[in-house]
Amino acid sequence: MANVAFLGLGVMGYPMAGHLLAQGHSVKVWNRTMSVAEKWAAEYEGEACDSVEKAVASADFVMTCVGRDADVLAVVGKAVPSMMTGAILVDHTTASAQCARQVGELCVSKNIGFLDAPISGGEAGAVNGQLTVMCGGNQTHFDTAKPVIDAYAKAVKLMGPVGSGQLTKMVNQICIAGLLQGLSEAVHFAQSAGLDVDEVVGAIGKGAAQSWQMDNRASTMAKGEYEFGFAVDWMRKDLGIVLDAASDLGVDLPVTKLVDGYYADIQQIGGSRWDTSSLLARLKSKN
């Protein structure tokens, strides 16, 4: 069992840190809002720290799960100087590959291991310990950290050197954006034609059209329910990272660019905190 520090207790980090404690690891947590860390400590009987430096001082592994590139760099900038030589930093934030490489260089300079390890699976995946984790880094650091990451993951894979985890997460978000727009159009068409969406999904849901989004979101979309954790604001942040990377690579992503604009429309009609399946609401608003 390891000494672990978990920095960032949002909708994902909060249950992830709990899974670590449940697996027998010693866990110290820090959150920008101290009351959240104290609530977590009371719920899970762990230890809340009032500073990053205190949380990481004796940690074998430091997990971060914050918001944006700037948040990663700010938190890591406090954590790394206080970490033990040979400890491993695992960043679960969805950030840019450039940010991951910058953190990786800092860690190398301090003889600290690093994995960029963005996650997929949403709030439900975090709560149920069923996340997919895409990692960038070296094999030794990955092999050492994987048994700890396994506490909240159903799949953990090394994709290549530092930055590769973030690039893989970008591929994930490109797929999700296109799938959700297609599913939104399908549900909208079915309802406009007077079909029962659940019956339609029952008929086509085991064929070529099947997807996780169809299995888990078609019915709730049809009911206008959009409260499932991963907000439109965060998806737009992720797609912004994707489109910036695509520009750097000289890659055209026309559908992703279009769907990003559709999410901007959702924000305009008050859906910033709705989940990503709310693309259907935009179609309905056009009627």
Side-chain angles (χ1 to χ4, degrees), residues 166-205:
Q166 297 297 353
L167 291 168
T168 303
K169 179 61 182 289
M170 294 178 208
V171 175
N172 185 79
Q173 301 305 73
I174 292 167
C175 292
I176 289 173
L179 281 170
L180 281 171
Q181 179 59 22
L183 183 59
S184 295
E185 293 180 15
V187 171
H188 188 47
F189 179 89
Q191 290 182 317
S192 299
L195 296 172
D196 182 293
V197 171
D198 288 339
E199 290 293 321
V200 170
V201 170
I204 70 172

Side-chain angles (χ1 to χ4, degrees), residues 107-264:
C107 288
V108 167
S109 72
K110 301 293 185 180
N111 198 22
I112 291 168
F114 175 65
L115 297 172
D116 63 291
I119 51 182
S120 180
E123 184 178 1
V127 169
N128 296 321
Q130 294 290 299
L131 294 169
T132 296
V133 187
M134 301 145 271
C135 299
N138 73 43
Q139 190 72 52
T140 299
H141 295 152
F142 176 79
D143 291 343
T144 304
K146 184 180 181 298
V148 179
I149 298 172
D150 280 340
Y152 40 76
K154 66 176 180 181
V156 187
K157 187 171 179 61
L158 181 64
M159 304 307 302
V162 168
S164 300
Q166 297 297 353
L167 291 168
T168 303
K169 179 61 182 289
M170 294 178 208
V171 175
N172 185 79
Q173 301 305 73
I174 292 167
C175 292
I176 289 173
L179 281 170
L180 281 171
Q181 179 59 22
L183 183 59
S184 295
E185 293 180 15
V187 171
H188 188 47
F189 179 89
Q191 290 182 317
S192 299
L195 296 172
D196 182 293
V197 171
D198 288 339
E199 290 293 321
V200 170
V201 170
I204 70 172
K206 301 303 179 184
Q210 188 273 338
S211 68
W212 186 97
Q213 300 293 345
M214 178 178 285
D215 291 346
N216 291 276
R217 293 290 176 263
S219 181
T220 55
M221 289 164 67
K223 298 171 186 174
E225 298 174 358
Y226 304 123
E227 305 296 334
F228 296 96
F230 192 68
V232 167
D233 281 349
W234 289 112
M235 186 59 159
R236 289 216 69 208
K237 184 267 289 187
D238 289 2
L239 293 181
I241 292 170
V242 169
L243 293 170
D244 285 346
S247 178
D248 291 342
L249 292 168
V251 174
D252 187 25
L253 301 176
V255 173
T256 304
K257 192 178 301 182
L258 194 66
V259 176
D260 180 57
Y262 291 164
Y263 280 125

